Amino acid sequence: KGLSTTGALFRALSENAPVGITLARGGRTVYANRAYLQLFGYADPSVVLGQSLLNQIAPECREQIADHVRRRERGEAVANSYETVGLRQDGTTFLFRVDVARIQLEDGPANLAFFTDVAEHRTAERELSQALARERAASFRSARSAGAS
């Protein structure tokens, strides 16, 4: 009963998570949540399941990511967080951040990864920075006009 409850909890958490989540073994995707599928422009999970995770990586970044995967599979030290360029189903590319953890499951080790679209975060940061700059400028003008009277 404990394992089925744990599995149901994992599915509920991962399927409702606001970030993309995958489980991979040997460089192949064995699980992908809805947010991951949306991030990469897929509607049908069967398109990515069992396939090389490199299919969602821009061609110019594949060798570097393949090296990360090989080294992680061998248990070597490799960055657990990094940014790279993704390839959506429609052929467009985008910058994303991935955070990876090597985990031990009942049937062996796997790589658990979390994916975040960096462009969305950068846009939000830029908008915040612009709003703060406008606020500072308005405060400065207000202080100058008060001092001039």
Side-chain angles (χ1 to χ4, degrees):
K1 179 174 176 165
L3 287 178
S4 63
T5 302
T6 302
L9 178 61
F10 172 78
R11 279 188 299 284
L13 290 172
S14 64
E15 285 306 315
N16 293 293
V19 298
I21 301 173
T22 62
L23 273 175
R25 285 201 168 109
R28 299 212 171 268
T29 304
V30 296
Y31 169 82
N33 74 345
R34 273 188 293 243
Y36 178 88
L37 296 172
Q38 289 171 348
L39 184 63
F40 288 92
Y42 294 99
D44 182 2
S46 69
V47 177
V48 297
L49 298 180
Q51 301 300 312
S52 171
L53 58 85
L54 296 177
N55 293 345
Q56 284 80 54
I57 304 297
E60 66 271 18
C61 299
R62 287 181 181 161
E63 187 50 45
Q64 179 188 19
I65 302 308
D67 182 58
H68 282 300
V69 170
R70 280 190 298 271
R71 291 174 55 205
R72 186 172 285 108
E73 292 283 330
R74 290 192 303 246
E76 296 176 20
V78 62
N80 290 325
S81 298
Y82 53 90
E83 292 180 0
T84 192
V85 181
L87 179 65
R88 290 193 171 103
Q89 185 177 28
D90 66 6
T92 60
T93 59
F94 67 104
L95 187 63
F96 71 91
R97 175 184 174 90
V98 62
D99 297 285
V100 185
R102 185 89 166 141
I103 62 171
Q104 187 64 42
L105 300 175
E106 282 185 4
D107 58 348
N111 294 311
L112 175 65
F114 300 89
F115 299 81
T116 308
D117 187 335
V118 172
E120 289 179 9
H121 289 281
R122 298 240 167 101
T123 299
E125 287 173 353
R126 188 171 41 257
E127 289 171 358
L128 178 59
S129 178
Q130 290 169 348
L132 290 172
R134 286 190 300 272
E135 185 177 311
R136 281 193 295 270
S139 295
F140 179 72
R141 283 191 301 274
S142 176
R144 276 188 39 207
S145 64
S149 4

Coordinates of all heavy atoms in Angstrom, one line a residue, residues 74-149:
R74 N 27.9 7.3 -15.7 CA 29.1 6.6 -15.1 C 29.4 7.0 -13.7 O 30.3 6.5 -13.1 CB 30.3 7.0 -16.0 CG 30.3 6.3 -17.4 CD 31.6 6.4 -18.1 NE 32.1 7.7 -18.2 CZ 32.3 8.4 -19.4 NH1 32.0 7.8 -20.5 NH2 32.8 9.6 -19.4
G75 N 28.6 8.0 -13.1 CA 28.8 8.4 -11.8 C 29.9 9.4 -11.6 O 30.3 9.7 -10.5
E76 N 30.3 10.0 -12.7 CA 31.3 11.1 -12.6 C 30.7 12.4 -12.2 O 29.5 12.6 -12.4 CB 32.0 11.3 -14.0 CG 32.8 10.0 -14.5 CD 33.3 10.2 -15.8 OE1 33.5 11.4 -16.3 OE2 33.6 9.2 -16.5
A77 N 31.5 13.3 -11.7 CA 31.1 14.6 -11.3 C 30.7 15.4 -12.6 O 31.5 15.5 -13.5 CB 32.1 15.3 -10.5
V78 N 29.5 16.0 -12.6 CA 29.1 16.8 -13.7 C 28.1 17.9 -13.1 O 27.5 17.6 -12.1 CB 28.4 16.0 -14.8 CG1 27.2 15.2 -14.3 CG2 28.1 16.7 -16.0
A79 N 28.0 19.0 -13.8 CA 27.1 20.1 -13.3 C 25.7 19.6 -13.1 O 25.2 18.9 -14.0 CB 27.2 21.3 -14.2
N80 N 25.1 19.9 -12.0 CA 23.7 19.5 -11.8 C 22.7 20.5 -12.3 O 21.5 20.2 -12.4 CB 23.5 19.1 -10.3 CG 24.2 17.9 -9.9 OD1 24.3 16.9 -10.7 ND2 24.7 17.8 -8.7
S81 N 23.2 21.7 -12.5 CA 22.4 22.8 -12.9 C 23.1 23.6 -14.0 O 24.3 23.9 -13.9 CB 22.1 23.8 -11.8 OG 21.4 23.2 -10.8
Y82 N 22.4 23.8 -15.2 CA 23.0 24.5 -16.3 C 21.9 25.0 -17.2 O 20.7 24.6 -17.1 CB 24.0 23.7 -17.0 CG 23.5 22.3 -17.5 CD1 22.9 22.2 -18.7 CD2 23.6 21.2 -16.7 CE1 22.4 21.0 -19.1 CE2 23.1 20.0 -17.1 CZ 22.5 19.9 -18.3 OH 22.0 18.6 -18.7
E83 N 22.3 25.9 -18.1 CA 21.4 26.4 -19.1 C 21.9 25.8 -20.5 O 23.1 25.7 -20.7 CB 21.4 27.9 -19.2 CG 20.8 28.6 -18.0 CD 20.8 30.1 -18.0 OE1 21.2 30.7 -19.0 OE2 20.3 30.7 -17.0
T84 N 20.9 25.6 -21.3 CA 21.2 25.1 -22.7 C 20.1 25.5 -23.6 O 19.1 26.1 -23.2 CB 21.5 23.6 -22.7 OG1 22.0 23.2 -24.0 CG2 20.2 22.8 -22.5
V85 N 20.2 25.2 -24.9 CA 19.2 25.6 -25.9 C 18.3 24.4 -26.2 O 18.8 23.3 -26.6 CB 19.9 26.2 -27.1 CG1 18.8 26.6 -28.1 CG2 20.7 27.4 -26.8
G86 N 17.0 24.6 -26.1 CA 16.1 23.5 -26.4 C 15.5 23.6 -27.8 O 15.6 24.7 -28.4
L87 N 15.0 22.5 -28.3 CA 14.4 22.4 -29.6 C 13.0 22.0 -29.5 O 12.7 20.8 -29.0 CB 15.2 21.4 -30.5 CG 14.7 21.2 -31.9 CD1 14.9 22.5 -32.7 CD2 15.5 20.1 -32.6
R88 N 12.1 22.8 -29.8 CA 10.6 22.5 -29.8 C 10.2 21.7 -31.0 O 10.9 21.6 -32.0 CB 9.8 23.8 -29.7 CG 10.0 24.5 -28.4 CD 8.9 25.6 -28.2 NE 8.9 26.1 -26.9 CZ 9.5 27.3 -26.5 NH1 10.0 28.1 -27.5 NH2 9.5 27.7 -25.3
Q89 N 9.1 21.0 -30.8 CA 8.6 20.2 -31.9 C 8.4 20.9 -33.2 O 8.7 20.4 -34.3 CB 7.3 19.5 -31.5 CG 6.7 18.6 -32.6 CD 5.5 17.9 -32.1 OE1 4.7 18.4 -31.4 NE2 5.3 16.7 -32.6
D90 N 8.1 22.3 -33.1 CA 7.9 23.0 -34.3 C 9.2 23.6 -34.9 O 9.2 24.3 -35.9 CB 7.0 24.2 -34.1 CG 7.5 25.2 -33.1 OD1 8.7 25.2 -32.7 OD2 6.7 26.2 -32.8
G91 N 10.4 23.2 -34.3 CA 11.7 23.6 -34.8 C 12.2 24.9 -34.2 O 13.4 25.2 -34.5
T92 N 11.4 25.6 -33.4 CA 12.0 26.8 -32.8 C 12.9 26.4 -31.6 O 12.7 25.3 -31.0 CB 10.8 27.7 -32.3 OG1 10.0 27.0 -31.3 CG2 10.0 28.2 -33.4
T93 N 13.8 27.3 -31.3 CA 14.7 27.1 -30.2 C 14.4 28.1 -29.1 O 13.9 29.1 -29.3 CB 16.2 27.2 -30.6 OG1 16.4 28.5 -31.2 CG2 16.5 26.1 -31.7
F94 N 14.9 27.7 -27.8 CA 14.7 28.6 -26.7 C 15.7 28.2 -25.6 O 16.2 27.0 -25.6 CB 13.2 28.4 -26.1 CG 12.9 27.1 -25.5 CD1 12.9 26.9 -24.2 CD2 12.7 26.0 -26.3 CE1 12.6 25.7 -23.6 CE2 12.4 24.7 -25.8 CZ 12.4 24.6 -24.4
L95 N 16.0 29.1 -24.8 CA 17.0 28.9 -23.7 C 16.2 28.3 -22.5 O 15.2 28.9 -22.1 CB 17.7 30.2 -23.3 CG 18.8 30.2 -22.3 CD1 20.0 29.3 -22.9 CD2 19.3 31.6 -22.0
F96 N 16.7 27.3 -21.9 CA 16.1 26.7 -20.7 C 17.2 26.3 -19.7 O 18.3 26.2 -20.0 CB 15.2 25.6 -21.0 CG 15.8 24.3 -21.4 CD1 16.2 23.3 -20.5 CD2 16.0 24.0 -22.7 CE1 16.8 22.1 -20.9 CE2 16.6 22.8 -23.1 CZ 17.0 21.9 -22.2
R97 N 16.7 26.3 -18.4 CA 17.6 25.8 -17.3 C 17.1 24.4 -17.0 O 15.9 24.1 -16.9 CB 17.4 26.8 -16.1 CG 18.2 26.3 -14.9 CD 17.9 27.2 -13.7 NE 18.5 26.7 -12.5 CZ 19.8 27.0 -12.2 NH1 20.5 27.8 -12.9 NH2 20.3 26.4 -11.1
V98 N 18.1 23.6 -16.7 CA 17.8 22.2 -16.2 C 18.6 22.0 -14.9 O 19.7 22.4 -14.8 CB 18.2 21.2 -17.3 CG1 19.6 21.1 -17.6 CG2 17.7 19.8 -16.9
D99 N 17.9 21.4 -14.0 CA 18.4 21.0 -12.7 C 18.2 19.5 -12.6 O 17.1 19.0 -12.7 CB 17.7 21.7 -11.5 CG 17.9 23.2 -11.6 OD1 19.0 23.6 -11.3 OD2 17.0 23.9 -12.0
V100 N 19.3 18.7 -12.5 CA 19.3 17.3 -12.5 C 19.8 16.7 -11.2 O 20.8 17.1 -10.6 CB 20.2 16.8 -13.7 CG1 20.1 15.2 -13.8 CG2 19.9 17.5 -15.0
A101 N 19.1 15.6 -10.8 CA 19.5 14.8 -9.7 C 19.6 13.3 -10.1 O 18.6 12.9 -10.7 CB 18.6 15.0 -8.5
R102 N 20.6 12.7 -9.7 CA 20.7 11.2 -9.9 C 20.0 10.6 -8.7 O 20.3 10.8 -7.6 CB 22.2 10.8 -9.9 CG 22.4 9.4 -10.3 CD 22.5 9.2 -11.8 NE 23.0 7.9 -12.1 CZ 22.6 7.2 -13.1 NH1 21.7 7.7 -13.9 NH2 23.1 6.0 -13.3
I103 N 19.0 9.8 -9.0 CA 18.2 9.2 -7.9 C 18.2 7.6 -8.1 O 18.4 7.1 -9.1 CB 16.7 9.7 -7.9 CG1 16.0 9.3 -9.2 CG2 16.7 11.2 -7.6 CD1 14.5 9.6 -9.1
Q104 N 18.0 7.0 -7.0 CA 17.9 5.5 -6.9 C 16.5 5.1 -6.8 O 15.8 5.4 -5.8 CB 18.7 5.0 -5.8 CG 18.9 3.5 -5.7 CD 19.7 3.0 -7.0 OE1 20.6 3.5 -7.4 NE2 19.2 1.8 -7.5
L105 N 16.0 4.3 -7.8 CA 14.6 3.8 -7.7 C 14.7 2.3 -7.5 O 15.8 1.7 -7.5 CB 13.9 4.1 -9.0 CG 13.7 5.6 -9.4 CD1 13.1 5.7 -10.8 CD2 12.9 6.3 -8.4
E106 N 13.5 1.7 -7.2 CA 13.5 0.2 -6.9 C 14.2 -0.6 -8.1 O 14.8 -1.6 -7.8 CB 12.1 -0.2 -6.8 CG 11.5 0.1 -5.4 CD 10.1 -0.5 -5.3 OE1 9.6 -1.2 -6.2 OE2 9.5 -0.3 -4.2
D107 N 14.0 -0.1 -9.3 CA 14.5 -0.9 -10.4 C 15.8 -0.3 -11.0 O 16.2 -0.6 -12.1 CB 13.5 -1.0 -11.5 CG 13.0 0.4 -12.0 OD1 13.3 1.4 -11.4 OD2 12.3 0.4 -13.1
G108 N 16.5 0.5 -10.2 CA 17.8 1.1 -10.6 C 17.8 2.6 -10.6 O 16.8 3.2 -10.4
P109 N 19.0 3.1 -10.9 CA 19.2 4.6 -10.9 C 18.5 5.2 -12.1 O 18.3 4.6 -13.1 CB 20.7 4.7 -11.0 CG 21.2 3.5 -11.6 CD 20.3 2.4 -11.2
A110 N 18.2 6.5 -11.9 CA 17.6 7.3 -13.0 C 18.0 8.7 -12.8 O 18.5 9.1 -11.7 CB 16.1 7.2 -13.0
N111 N 17.8 9.5 -13.8 CA 18.1 11.0 -13.7 C 16.8 11.7 -13.6 O 15.9 11.6 -14.5 CB 18.9 11.5 -14.8 CG 20.3 10.9 -14.8 OD1 21.0 10.9 -13.8 ND2 20.7 10.3 -15.9
L112 N 16.6 12.4 -12.6 CA 15.4 13.3 -12.4 C 15.7 14.7 -12.7 O 16.7 15.2 -12.2 CB 14.9 13.2 -10.9 CG 13.7 14.1 -10.5 CD1 12.5 13.7 -11.2 CD2 13.5 14.0 -9.0
A113 N 15.0 15.3 -13.7 CA 15.4 16.6 -14.2 C 14.2 17.5 -14.1 O 13.0 17.1 -14.4 CB 15.9 16.5 -15.6
F114 N 14.5 18.8 -13.8 CA 13.5 19.9 -13.8 C 13.9 20.9 -14.8 O 15.0 21.4 -14.8 CB 13.5 20.5 -12.4 CG 13.1 19.5 -11.3 CD1 14.1 18.8 -10.7 CD2 11.8 19.3 -10.9 CE1 13.8 17.8 -9.7 CE2 11.5 18.4 -9.9 CZ 12.5 17.6 -9.3
F115 N 12.9 21.3 -15.6 CA 13.2 22.2 -16.7 C 12.4 23.5 -16.6 O 11.2 23.5 -16.3 CB 12.7 21.6 -18.0 CG 13.5 20.3 -18.3 CD1 13.1 19.1 -17.8 CD2 14.6 20.3 -19.2 CE1 13.8 18.0 -18.0 CE2 15.3 19.2 -19.5 CZ 14.9 18.0 -18.9
T116 N 13.1 24.7 -16.8 CA 12.4 26.0 -16.7 C 12.8 26.8 -17.9 O 14.0 26.9 -18.2 CB 12.9 26.7 -15.4 OG1 12.7 25.8 -14.3 CG2 12.2 28.0 -15.2
D117 N 11.8 27.4 -18.5 CA 12.1 28.3 -19.6 C 12.7 29.6 -19.1 O 12.1 30.4 -18.4 CB 10.8 28.7 -20.3 CG 10.9 29.4 -21.6 OD1 11.9 30.2 -21.8 OD2 10.0 29.4 -22.4
V118 N 14.0 29.8 -19.5 CA 14.7 31.0 -19.0 C 14.2 32.3 -19.6 O 14.2 33.3 -18.9 CB 16.2 30.8 -19.3 CG1 17.0 32.1 -19.0 CG2 16.8 29.7 -18.6
A119 N 13.7 32.3 -20.8 CA 13.2 33.5 -21.4 C 12.1 34.1 -20.6 O 12.0 35.3 -20.5 CB 12.7 33.2 -22.9
E120 N 11.2 33.3 -20.1 CA 10.1 33.8 -19.3 C 10.6 34.5 -18.0 O 10.1 35.6 -17.7 CB 9.1 32.6 -18.8 CG 8.3 32.1 -19.9 CD 7.4 30.9 -19.5 OE1 7.3 30.7 -18.3 OE2 6.8 30.3 -20.4
H121 N 11.6 33.9 -17.4 CA 12.2 34.6 -16.2 C 12.9 35.8 -16.6 O 12.9 36.8 -15.9 CB 13.1 33.6 -15.5 CG 12.4 32.5 -14.8 ND1 11.8 32.6 -13.6 CD2 12.2 31.2 -15.2 CE1 11.2 31.5 -13.2 NE2 11.4 30.6 -14.2
R122 N 13.7 35.8 -17.7 CA 14.4 37.0 -18.1 C 13.4 38.1 -18.5 O 13.7 39.3 -18.2 CB 15.3 36.7 -19.3 CG 16.4 35.7 -18.9 CD 17.8 36.2 -19.0 NE 18.7 35.3 -18.3 CZ 19.5 34.4 -19.0 NH1 19.4 34.3 -20.3 NH2 20.3 33.7 -18.3
T123 N 12.3 37.8 -19.1 CA 11.3 38.8 -19.4 C 10.8 39.4 -18.2 O 10.6 40.7 -18.1 CB 10.2 38.2 -20.3 OG1 10.8 37.7 -21.5 CG2 9.1 39.2 -20.6
A124 N 10.4 38.6 -17.2 CA 9.9 39.1 -15.9 C 10.9 40.0 -15.2 O 10.6 41.0 -14.7 CB 9.5 37.9 -15.0
E125 N 12.2 39.6 -15.2 CA 13.2 40.4 -14.6 C 13.4 41.7 -15.3 O 13.5 42.8 -14.6 CB 14.6 39.6 -14.6 CG 14.7 38.5 -13.7 CD 15.9 37.7 -13.9 OE1 16.7 37.9 -14.8 OE2 16.2 36.8 -13.0
R126 N 13.3 41.7 -16.6 CA 13.5 43.0 -17.4 C 12.3 43.9 -17.1 O 12.5 45.1 -16.9 CB 13.6 42.6 -18.9 CG 13.9 43.8 -19.8 CD 14.2 43.4 -21.2 NE 13.3 42.4 -21.8 CZ 13.7 41.1 -22.0 NH1 14.9 40.7 -21.6 NH2 12.8 40.2 -22.5
E127 N 11.1 43.4 -17.1 CA 9.9 44.2 -16.8 C 10.0 44.8 -15.4 O 9.7 45.9 -15.1 CB 8.6 43.4 -16.9 CG 8.3 43.0 -18.4 CD 7.2 42.1 -18.6 OE1 6.6 41.6 -17.5 OE2 6.8 41.8 -19.7
L128 N 10.4 44.0 -14.4 CA 10.6 44.5 -13.0 C 11.6 45.6 -13.0 O 11.4 46.6 -12.4 CB 11.0 43.3 -12.1 CG 11.2 43.7 -10.6 CD1 10.0 44.4 -10.0 CD2 11.7 42.5 -9.8
S129 N 12.8 45.4 -13.6 CA 13.8 46.4 -13.7 C 13.3 47.7 -14.3 O 13.6 48.8 -13.8 CB 15.0 45.8 -14.5 OG 16.0 46.8 -14.5
Q130 N 12.6 47.6 -15.4 CA 12.0 48.8 -16.1 C 11.0 49.5 -15.2 O 11.1 50.7 -15.1 CB 11.4 48.4 -17.4 CG 12.4 48.0 -18.4 CD 11.7 47.3 -19.7 OE1 10.6 47.0 -19.7 NE2 12.5 47.1 -20.7
A131 N 10.2 48.8 -14.4 CA 9.3 49.4 -13.5 C 10.0 50.1 -12.4 O 9.6 51.2 -12.0 CB 8.3 48.3 -13.0
L132 N 11.0 49.5 -11.9 CA 11.8 50.1 -10.8 C 12.5 51.4 -11.3 O 12.5 52.4 -10.6 CB 12.8 49.2 -10.2 CG 12.2 48.0 -9.4 CD1 13.3 47.0 -9.0 CD2 11.6 48.5 -8.1
A133 N 13.0 51.3 -12.5 CA 13.7 52.5 -13.1 C 12.7 53.7 -13.3 O 13.0 54.8 -13.0 CB 14.3 52.2 -14.4
R134 N 11.5 53.4 -13.7 CA 10.4 54.4 -13.9 C 10.0 55.0 -12.5 O 9.9 56.2 -12.4 CB 9.2 53.8 -14.6 CG 9.4 53.5 -16.0 CD 8.0 53.2 -16.7 NE 7.4 52.0 -16.2 CZ 7.6 50.8 -16.6 NH1 8.5 50.6 -17.6 NH2 7.0 49.7 -16.1
E135 N 10.0 54.1 -11.5 CA 9.6 54.6 -10.2 C 10.7 55.5 -9.6 O 10.4 56.5 -9.0 CB 9.4 53.4 -9.3 CG 8.9 53.8 -7.9 CD 8.6 52.6 -7.0 OE1 7.9 51.6 -7.5 OE2 9.1 52.6 -5.9
R136 N 12.0 55.1 -9.8 CA 13.1 56.0 -9.4 C 13.0 57.3 -10.1 O 13.3 58.4 -9.5 CB 14.4 55.3 -9.5 CG 14.7 54.2 -8.5 CD 16.2 53.8 -8.5 NE 16.5 53.1 -9.8 CZ 16.4 51.8 -9.9 NH1 15.9 51.0 -9.0 NH2 16.7 51.2 -11.1
A137 N 12.8 57.3 -11.4 CA 12.8 58.5 -12.2 C 11.6 59.4 -11.7 O 11.8 60.6 -11.5 CB 12.6 58.2 -13.6
A138 N 10.5 58.8 -11.4 CA 9.3 59.6 -10.9 C 9.6 60.2 -9.6 O 9.3 61.4 -9.3 CB 8.1 58.8 -10.9
S139 N 10.3 59.4 -8.7 CA 10.6 59.9 -7.4 C 11.6 61.1 -7.5 O 11.5 62.1 -6.8 CB 11.2 58.8 -6.5 OG 10.2 57.8 -6.3
F140 N 12.6 60.9 -8.4 CA 13.6 62.0 -8.6 C 13.0 63.3 -9.1 O 13.3 64.3 -8.6 CB 14.7 61.5 -9.5 CG 15.8 62.5 -9.8 CD1 16.7 62.8 -8.9 CD2 15.8 63.1 -11.1 CE1 17.7 63.7 -9.1 CE2 16.8 64.1 -11.3 CZ 17.7 64.4 -10.3
R141 N 12.1 63.2 -10.1 CA 11.4 64.3 -10.6 C 10.5 65.0 -9.5 O 10.5 66.2 -9.4 CB 10.5 64.0 -11.8 CG 11.3 63.7 -13.1 CD 10.3 63.6 -14.3 NE 9.3 62.5 -14.2 CZ 9.6 61.3 -14.5 NH1 10.8 60.9 -15.0 NH2 8.6 60.4 -14.4
S142 N 9.9 64.2 -8.7 CA 9.0 64.7 -7.6 C 9.9 65.4 -6.6 O 9.5 66.5 -6.1 CB 8.3 63.5 -7.0 OG 7.5 64.0 -5.9
A143 N 11.0 64.9 -6.3 CA 11.9 65.5 -5.3 C 12.5 66.8 -5.9 O 12.6 67.8 -5.1 CB 13.1 64.6 -4.9
R144 N 12.8 66.8 -7.1 CA 13.4 68.0 -7.8 C 12.3 69.1 -7.8 O 12.6 70.3 -7.5 CB 13.9 67.7 -9.2 CG 15.3 67.1 -9.2 CD 15.9 67.0 -10.5 NE 15.6 68.1 -11.5 CZ 15.6 67.9 -12.8 NH1 15.8 66.7 -13.3 NH2 15.3 68.9 -13.6
S145 N 11.1 68.8 -8.2 CA 10.1 69.8 -8.2 C 9.7 70.3 -6.9 O 9.4 71.5 -6.7 CB 8.8 69.3 -9.0 OG 8.2 68.3 -8.3
A146 N 9.8 69.5 -5.8 CA 9.5 70.0 -4.5 C 10.6 70.9 -4.0 O 10.4 71.9 -3.3 CB 9.4 68.8 -3.5
G147 N 11.9 70.6 -4.4 CA 13.0 71.4 -4.0 C 13.0 72.8 -4.8 O 13.6 73.7 -4.3
A148 N 12.4 72.8 -5.9 CA 12.4 74.0 -6.7 C 11.4 75.0 -6.3 O 11.5 76.2 -6.6 CB 12.1 73.7 -8.2
S149 N 10.4 74.6 -5.5 CA 9.4 75.6 -5.0 C 9.8 76.4 -3.9 O 10.5 76.3 -3.1 CB 8.1 74.9 -4.7 OG 8.0 73.5 -4.7

